[in-house]
């Protein structure tokens, strides 16, 4: 086992935890921040959406940068930016400051998942990437789990502004640690260079790879021939990649994942407090349930994917199909939610949201369709486009609630009639989320096929490393 590779993976998991804690903090301070800042639910929902305003363009730009420089420095710059942007709210910023910092923070965090996965992929051979990829994805689900109880204590004892301050301090600690320990692995190509051959791989890792390859050869897997050359794929035109069926399906599936994220990080605590009628302390506990369940789903699917791919099963069957099935289960659960109350609502919301917060599996799958030079940009672009779901979702849920008659005033507590209106609005949003996830799940099962996409792109568009013009692929 390459200990350095797993140390980097642990650092990247922590990176994701911090990123998603940053997202979750807004929902956790909603109950106190909305009346103090003197804003409406729609305005608060707009601030929640604002996190994703620069998400897409920043994802693409930072993805391009990550394709040209060591990923270590990209991650370092991102972590430092996150930390600094938390402090203005600690020092008394109002609604306008919250809006601006959330926009900038979203831009800085946009490609977090894509860059983390690119870094991890540079440390593991193709057949072994499913598990570390899903562990990093678990970091994104653990962010709100860790944040909820910690920040709940901070909010109760020190006020809601200190929730932002604590996240800034934690971000600075991670940045310093990454500066000391971080680095890029032997399987990542840079500045147009192909991934290194076996001689460039650490001796301990080469031995592990040789042993694994021997067992795979005994299994007679033709798919392993494909995986062996995955990091030597040549550049192909971006237009062909972005118009491929697999990419389009991955974007739509990611859109539905981000839609759910937008609801969970902005409105879930208020839903649990108002509709399910939980105390603030219990909201902090139950808020973690979907994320914990999502972590369990990702761990199980990561282990399954690694097991299958080591035995020659295609990326489509090992990652794409399980990903699609999970989304379909999430969609069906969301559609059933309006018919439940109390504990049943919490249980079904846990399943629905938990099975849908597995977005990183989409870019992880698509990464197999291209070589390492194009991988960071592809995954970042996928995340950037898909993030539109999180831009729409918080505002859309706020509009559903307001159209159902739910309106708040500074200092006013929710009445029974207001809670009934809130319930109607949220249930309408559940119907939309369920339908989107169900369709995305079915499409992913049948059409999220990076194996086929990679073969078609290489056969038709493969380019010489020194010449970006298309040339016939070598057979």
């Amino acid at each position: 086992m390459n200990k350095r590779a797993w140390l980097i993976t642990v650092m990247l998991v922590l990176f994701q935890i911090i990123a998603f804690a940053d997202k979750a903090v807004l929902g956790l301070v909603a109950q106190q921040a909305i009346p103090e800042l003197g804003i409406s639910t729609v305005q608060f929902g707009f601030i929640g959406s604002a996190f994703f305003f620069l998400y897409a363009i920043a994802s693409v730009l930072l993805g391009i940068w990550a394709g040209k420089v060591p990923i270590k420095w990209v991650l370092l710059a991102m972590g430092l930016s996150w930390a600094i942007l938390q402090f203005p709210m600690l020092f008394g910023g109002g609604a306008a400051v919250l809006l601006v910092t959330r926009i900038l923070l979203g831009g800085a965090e946009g490609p977090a998942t894509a860059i983390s996965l690119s870094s991890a992929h540079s440390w593991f051979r193709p057949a072994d990437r499913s598990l570390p990829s899903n562990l990093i994805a678990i970091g994104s689900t653990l962010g709100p789990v860790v944040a909820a109880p910690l920040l709940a204590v901070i909010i109760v004892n020190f006020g809601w502004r200190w929730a932002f301050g604590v996240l800034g301090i934690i971000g600075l600690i991670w940045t310093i640690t990454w500066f000391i320990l971080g680095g890029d692995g032997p399987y990542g190509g840079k500045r147009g260079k192909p991934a290194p051959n076996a001689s460039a791989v650490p001796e301990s890792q080469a031995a592990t790879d040789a042993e694994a390859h021997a067992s795979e050869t005994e299994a007679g897997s033709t798919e392993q021939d494909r995986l062996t050359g995955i990091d030597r794929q040549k550049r192909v035109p971006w237009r062909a990649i972005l118009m491929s069926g697999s990419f389009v399906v991955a974007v739509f599936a990611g859109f539905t994942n981000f839609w759910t994220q937008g609801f969970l990080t902005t409105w879930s605590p208020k839903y649990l407090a108002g509709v399910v009628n939980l105390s603030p302390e219990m909201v902090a506990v139950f808020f973690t349930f979907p994320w914990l369940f999502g972590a369990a789903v990702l761990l199980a699917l990561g282990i399954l994917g690694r097991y299958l791919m080591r035995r020659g099963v295609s990326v489509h069957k090992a990652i794409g199909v399980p990903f699609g099935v999970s989304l379909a289960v999430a969609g069906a659960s969301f559609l059933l939610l309006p018919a439940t109350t109390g504990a049943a609502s919490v249980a079904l919301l846990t399943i629905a949201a938990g099975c849908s917060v597995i977005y990183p599996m989409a870019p992880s799958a698509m990464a197999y369709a291209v070589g390492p030079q194009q991988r960071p940009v592809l995954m970042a672009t996928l995340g950037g486009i898909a993030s539109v779901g999180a831009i729409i979702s918080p505002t859309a849920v706020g509009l559903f609630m307001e159209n159902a008659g739910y309106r708040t005033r500074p200092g006013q507590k929710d009445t029974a009639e207001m809670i009934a209106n809130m319930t109607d609005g949220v249930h309408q949003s559940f119907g939309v989320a369920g339908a989107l996830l169900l369709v995305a799940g079915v499409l992913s099962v049948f059409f999220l096929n990076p194996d086929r996409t990679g073969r078609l792109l290489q056969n038709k568009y493969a380019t010489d490393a020194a010449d970006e013009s298309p040339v016939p692929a070598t057979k």
Side-chain angles (χ1 to χ4, degrees):
M1 181 180 74
N2 188 337
K3 293 181 180 179
R4 180 78 191 281
W6 286 108
L7 174 63
I8 294 296
T9 300
V10 170
M11 288 295 299
L12 295 172
V13 170
L14 294 174
F15 185 71
Q16 288 293 100
I17 289 175
I18 295 170
F20 276 75
D22 289 348
K23 293 179 182 178
V25 67
L26 192 65
L28 294 170
V29 303
Q31 203 74 3
Q32 294 81 10
I34 289 176
E36 183 173 325
L37 296 174
I39 56 179
S40 68
T41 52
V42 172
Q43 289 171 326
F44 186 77
F46 180 78
I47 292 175
S49 296
F51 184 90
F52 296 93
F53 286 175
L54 295 180
Y55 206 92
I57 187 170
S59 292
V60 176
L61 293 177
L62 287 175
I64 293 173
W65 185 33
K68 298 178 181 298
V69 302
I71 292 178
K72 171 181 177 176
W73 302 115
V74 180
L75 289 167
L76 186 72
M78 291 170 66
L80 183 60
S81 300
W82 301 357
I84 293 173
L85 285 167
Q86 300 293 351
F87 292 113
M89 288 310 297
L90 172 63
F91 299 125
V97 173
L98 180 59
L99 175 63
V100 172
T101 54
R102 296 304 287 182
I103 292 173
L104 295 176
L105 184 63
E109 290 192 358
T113 298
I115 304 303
S116 297
L117 291 173
S118 295
S119 179
H121 283 203
S122 76
W123 284 97
F124 294 89
R125 68 194 191 94
D128 288 335
R129 288 172 186 164
S130 177
L131 181 56
S133 295
N134 277 32
L135 290 176
I136 290 170
I138 287 172
S140 65
T141 68
L142 292 181
V145 172
V146 174
L150 171 63
L151 297 183
V153 172
I154 297 297
I155 292 167
V156 170
N157 291 281
F158 301 99
W160 63 271
R161 292 184 182 276
W162 263 103
F164 294 94
V166 168
L167 289 176
I169 294 169
I170 292 173
L172 287 176
I173 294 172
W174 184 91
T175 301
I176 294 170
T177 307
W178 178 257
F179 177 76
I180 298 170
L181 300 178
D184 290 6
Y187 294 102
K190 290 296 175 191
R191 296 183 179 88
K193 297 177 183 179
N197 54 31
S199 63
V201 179
E203 184 177 347
S204 59
Q205 182 69 18
T208 301
D209 290 353
E211 181 182 348
H213 181 70
S215 65
E216 288 155 1
T217 302
E218 291 175 5
S221 170
T222 57
E223 180 62 20
Q224 288 303 327
D225 294 335
R226 158 80 176 139
L227 291 178
T228 299
I230 206 86
D231 287 337
R232 292 192 292 273
Q233 292 183 104
K234 297 179 180 179
R235 290 180 180 271
V236 296
W238 281 108
R239 182 173 63 87
I241 298 172
L242 302 182
M243 293 182 65
S244 67
S246 288
F247 183 81
V248 172
V249 169
V251 165
F252 179 61
F255 175 91
T256 66
N257 293 173
F258 274 99
W259 181 286
T260 303
Q261 279 185 35
F263 167 78
L264 286 176
T265 56
T266 305
W267 291 116
S268 176
K270 192 165 182 62
Y271 169 79
L272 292 172
V275 178
V276 187
N277 195 28
L278 298 177
S279 67
E281 293 79 12
M282 294 308 296
V283 166
V285 174
F286 282 89
F287 173 74
T288 66
F289 284 10
W291 302 100
L292 284 171
F293 189 77
V297 171
L298 283 165
L299 179 60
L301 295 184
I303 294 172
L304 175 65
R306 185 171 185 262
Y307 173 85
L308 293 175
M309 291 181 66
R310 279 193 160 192
R311 280 152 183 77
V313 175
S314 68
V315 180
H316 168 63
K317 293 179 180 178
I319 301 178
V321 172
F323 173 71
V325 170
S326 183
L327 296 190
V329 170
S333 299
F334 267 122
L335 291 174
L336 292 172
L337 251 171
T340 62
T341 58
S345 293
V346 174
L348 209 52
L349 178 61
T350 297
I351 295 171
C355 285
S356 63
V357 291
I358 59 170
Y359 159 74
M361 289 186 68
S364 180
M366 284 304 302
Y368 288 89
V370 296
Q373 304 93 339
Q374 294 183 289
R375 197 169 293 150
V377 186
L378 173 63
M379 291 196 285
T381 302
L382 170 55
I385 300 173
S387 70
V388 173
I391 296 176
I392 298 172
S393 174
T395 302
V397 175
L399 287 171
F400 278 129
M401 291 163 60
E402 189 167 277
N403 290 337
Y406 179 78
R407 293 174 177 82
T408 60
R409 296 191 183 100
Q412 180 187 23
K413 292 186 177 180
D414 289 348
T415 64
E417 181 182 358
M418 291 171 66
I419 291 174
N421 293 338
M422 180 201 298
T423 303
D424 289 341
V426 174
H427 284 175
Q428 290 174 31
S429 73
F430 286 162
V432 173
L436 290 172
L437 284 161
L438 194 57
V439 173
V442 173
L443 290 175
S444 297
V445 167
F446 289 101
F447 301 111
L448 183 53
N449 193 337
D451 315 273
R452 183 173 181 273
T453 298
R455 286 193 296 269
L456 290 175
L457 292 174
Q458 289 298 301
N459 289 338
K460 189 173 183 180
Y461 295 111
T463 62
D464 185 81
D467 180 8
E468 288 297 316
S469 60
V471 296
T474 303
K475 296 184 179 180

